[in-house]
Amino acid sequence: MRGPGRWAVLAALTVLAVVMMFPFVIVAINAVKSPAEYSSAGPLSLPDGLYVQGIIDFWQRVDFGQKLWNSLLISGSVAVLAVVLSVLNAYALGIGRVRGRLSILVLFLVANTLPQEALAYPLYYLAKEFGLYDTKLSMIIIFTVIQAAFGTYLLSAVLGQFPKEILEAAAIDGAGRFRSLIRVVVPISRPTLSVLLIFFFIWTWNEFFLPLIFLISNDNQTVPVALGILQGERYMDATMSSASALLGIVPAVAFFLIFQRTLTRGITVGAVK
Amino acid sequence: MNNRTKGYWPYLVPSLILFLGVIVVPFLMNLGVSFTRWSGVGTPRWIGLDNYTRLLADERFWLSFQNNVALIVAMAIVPAAFGLLLAAALFDFIGKRFGPRTASALRAMYYLPQVLPVAVAGVVWGWLLHPSYGAINRALGLDLDWLGDPDLALATVMAVMVWFQLGYPVVIFMAGLQRVDPAFYEAAELDGASWWRRVWHITIPQIRPEIFVVLLTCTIAALKVFGPIFVLTRGGPGNATMVPSYFSYLNFFQKSNVGYGSAIATVLAVIIIVVTFLFLRLQERER
């Protein structure tokens, strides 16, 4: 296809890109409009100036700083703890090749595909019994296990290929098992571990179902839960709704830009999920 | 050998304990509760298979699975088919004629919705689709209640999910296409094969593993879908967008029918596990 045909293809693909980006652009330009400007000019005009009062009002109304901190604390702790658990498991399964490793791996895989609906009520009940209901700790424990189930599955395959000579050399130098893990296996697997760390962080950040059930008080809610609950509230007018949408979009896009290089390397790894 | 591997067991102990408490025990409890009538307080009363026979006769339950099939179309089949065309066009047309930078810029724009928490995507669209002040009605010059009209709500949710999912197959397929030996394409081009024929006879067979992965992961995601339904429609209007996961949530936390909710969740879990195994078997046979 040469001549005008190729420009037609480019034009069609560009139009599609504009359609995909439309919601982001519309949210951004309306979040910085005053309610008066919105009602007179509508959602499609460019803003006259930068009106940030709507965003500030919404921020204070929902105590958004607190929500960000909750999300950050939960997702960060889960990411670190789930990587630690995945490494320990994968060390035993991938390198140690303990007996029955295949059935253990299948178990982890099933755990990862299981719908959270089939665990939700008992978890809710147990959390209440143990005094963990409506705590960030409950979310950290539960998501650490769920993410580690995937991490174990993936990392066991990676460590299964780990060069044996290096481990034997370490053993000859007198390194015990734990020392080999910390000094040899972890540093060499660092690229894979950092991909896992970032994925666990973002996946946990994006979670909605269990946090919605577990985190009912304002002090504990995460960003997606707080915004999801407010959607459709009576006092949410047009500009406040776009401020809310913008505050949900910004951290997600920021993570994407910060982690872009690791992510594009890892999306194909994550595809196993 | 046995002695050598024995020493690795301690590394599994922390996970096995946590796993038992967070996955295995709750799952078995859920299964047990599904055979009882229970409001969440007091003692569950054993009723055998009553919840399951009630399910089979429950119109809402069947409707929720019917809607689930619609969402599989919107979240797995349409994005995979459309994503395949886009990936092929970007990779061997835009990339070659306009440079790889143009191709990856377009790819990034298609992917952007995927970085959002799905609930936030719901917040964005809930605002855009608002019947009185939403931007979509203004942009199209229409006056429709996209999410409030029972005839329109499911189609609207489906369209939102296509928007949300599309970037994922594009990225995965483009990564897969990098593996394909360019000699295949050159040979086909010399033979005078059209672009469509090349996609059908070369691209699709070569990236079969990626197609499997995308269909499997997106189908599972569609079966589990909850966030967008909660944020956009709460299953309504009527039951127009009811899905199993929201149906079980309703029974657990709003109607205090915990036993019935557990039965729904168990059926959903069984379906997801069966789908996963079928896909994996199929993939195995392909190799």
Side-chain angles (χ1 to χ4, degrees):
Chain A
M1 202 175 346
R2 283 177 182 83
R6 62 184 215 156
W7 293 102
V9 174
L10 183 67
L13 291 174
T14 309
V15 168
L16 180 68
V18 170
V19 171
M20 296 296 281
M21 298 294 288
F22 173 78
F24 293 94
V25 176
I26 286 288
V27 162
I29 63 176
N30 286 291
V32 295
K33 275 183 199 167
S34 68
E37 193 193 340
Y38 189 93
S39 54
S40 63
L44 298 176
S45 70
L46 285 174
D48 284 339
L50 214 57
Y51 174 85
V52 290
Q53 197 56 42
I55 298 174
I56 293 171
D57 285 348
F58 181 80
W59 183 294
Q60 283 166 348
R61 183 153 204 166
V62 302
D63 197 1
F64 195 72
Q66 176 75 47
K67 310 292 190 259
L68 273 179
W69 168 245
N70 294 341
S71 274
L72 216 57
L73 181 70
I74 293 174
S75 310
S77 317
V78 168
V80 172
L81 292 172
V83 166
V84 170
L85 279 188
S86 307
V87 169
L88 292 176
N89 294 341
Y91 189 47
L93 296 168
I95 290 178
R97 308 205 152 250
V98 296
R99 218 192 279 187
R101 71 173 190 287
L102 209 63
S103 27
I104 297 176
L105 276 175
V106 169
L107 204 67
F108 278 116
L109 183 66
V110 170
N112 192 255
T113 44
L114 220 52
Q116 290 168 6
E117 288 77 5
L119 309 170
Y121 203 88
L123 284 173
Y124 163 83
Y125 184 82
L126 290 172
K128 280 195 159 170
E129 292 286 296
F130 289 101
L132 286 170
Y133 181 59
D134 197 18
T135 62
K136 295 183 260 289
L137 183 62
S138 65
M139 288 291 91
I140 293 173
I141 296 172
I142 291 170
F143 284 115
T144 295
V145 177
I146 292 177
Q147 310 292 26
F150 173 76
T152 301
Y153 180 72
L154 183 87
L155 206 56
S156 298
V158 175
L159 291 190
Q161 317 278 332
F162 199 87
K164 288 276 173 292
E165 307 78 50
I166 299 181
L167 288 170
E168 277 156 18
I172 290 167
D173 286 348
R177 244 175 221 140
F178 189 67
R179 226 182 130 77
S180 312
L181 173 65
I182 299 298
R183 290 291 168 85
V184 181
V185 176
V186 169
I188 291 181
S189 325
R190 183 155 286 161
T192 317
L193 298 186
S194 59
V195 171
L196 275 185
L197 191 79
I198 291 166
F199 268 103
F200 290 165
F201 181 86
I202 291 178
W203 286 338
T204 309
W205 185 282
N206 291 352
E207 280 292 343
F208 185 69
F209 180 68
L210 288 179
L212 174 75
I213 294 167
F214 276 76
L215 305 176
I216 46 159
S217 68
N218 272 320
D219 292 343
N220 290 325
Q221 271 165 5
T222 61
V223 172
V225 171
L227 300 185
I229 290 176
L230 284 176
Q231 169 76 8
E233 282 289 316
R234 238 158 253 260
Y235 67 83
M236 294 286 284
D237 59 17
T239 41
M240 212 181 245
S241 297
S242 54
S244 152
L246 186 73
L247 289 177
I249 289 173
V250 168
V253 172
F255 296 143
F256 178 62
L257 295 177
I258 296 168
F259 299 134
Q260 204 183 9
R261 300 198 79 177
T262 327
L263 278 177
T264 36
R265 183 153 42 92
I267 283 169
T268 32
V269 179
V272 199
K273 193 181 163 144
Chain B
M1 184 69 199
N2 207 7
N3 227 355
R4 246 184 67 203
T5 62
K6 233 182 220 159
Y8 284 99
W9 270 103
Y11 291 91
L12 284 172
V13 169
S15 288
L16 290 179
I17 292 170
L18 281 167
F19 200 75
L20 209 64
V22 175
I23 312 271
V24 179
V25 169
F27 185 70
L28 294 176
M29 279 171 77
N30 182 79
L31 188 65
V33 170
S34 77
F35 299 117
T36 68
R37 183 180 315 243
W38 189 35
S39 67
V41 285
T43 329
R45 194 160 58 83
W46 183 267
I47 53 168
L49 289 170
D50 279 10
N51 283 325
Y52 292 92
T53 48
R54 186 176 146 203
L55 268 184
L56 293 178
D58 188 342
E59 212 178 307
R60 277 180 110 184
F61 173 76
W62 289 107
L63 196 64
S64 73
F65 273 102
Q66 208 176 307
N67 291 336
N68 227 332
V69 172
L71 284 167
I72 291 174
V73 171
M75 290 176 69
I77 296 172
V78 171
F82 199 33
L84 189 71
L85 278 184
L86 287 173
L90 286 176
F91 182 80
D92 82 2
F93 190 75
I94 301 294
K96 279 171 196 161
R97 306 253 193 267
F98 296 92
R101 293 193 129 204
T102 317
S104 57
L106 285 168
R107 181 184 63 179
M109 286 191 259
Y110 300 153
Y111 189 74
L112 201 59
Q114 269 284 298
V115 310
L116 297 182
V118 69
V120 170
V123 172
V124 170
W125 280 97
W127 175 77
L128 287 169
L129 294 164
H130 195 279
S132 58
Y133 59 64
I136 295 291
N137 274 342
R138 299 287 184 98
L140 300 175
L142 292 171
D143 188 22
L144 292 173
D145 190 358
W146 297 96
L147 295 165
D149 181 340
D151 295 329
L152 215 57
L154 183 63
T156 306
V157 171
M158 287 171 74
V160 170
M161 293 322 288
V162 171
W163 172 82
F164 182 72
Q165 287 286 92
L166 185 61
Y168 171 67
V170 172
V171 167
I172 301 284
F173 292 159
M174 279 183 81
L177 284 170
Q178 262 145 27
R179 279 190 291 113
V180 181
D181 186 350
F184 277 122
Y185 284 102
E186 283 153 22
E189 208 157 354
L190 284 178
D191 287 346
S194 70
W195 185 76
W196 292 101
R197 283 182 69 89
R198 272 183 285 150
V199 169
W200 187 254
H201 289 289
I202 299 172
T203 310
I204 293 179
Q206 290 287 323
I207 61 165
R208 213 173 216 140
E210 279 82 2
I211 298 176
F212 263 116
V213 166
V214 164
L215 285 177
L216 172 64
T217 51
C218 294
T219 302
I220 292 176
L223 286 168
K224 290 178 178 177
V225 72
F226 177 85
I229 300 294
F230 180 90
V231 174
L232 288 172
T233 64
R234 311 252 162 142
N239 292 312
T241 56
M242 184 59 72
V243 290
S245 89
Y246 190 73
F247 193 31
S248 70
Y249 172 85
L250 269 185
N251 279 292
F252 284 144
F253 298 106
Q254 269 158 35
K255 299 177 163 184
S256 301
N257 285 331
V258 179
Y260 195 51
S262 304
I264 300 163
T266 306
V267 171
L268 185 62
V270 170
I271 291 175
I272 288 176
I273 292 170
V274 168
V275 167
T276 308
F277 274 98
L278 283 180
F279 263 102
L280 292 178
R281 280 295 287 278
L282 216 63
Q283 194 176 15
E284 209 87 313
R285 204 184 302 163
E286 283 283 321
R287 277 183 189 150

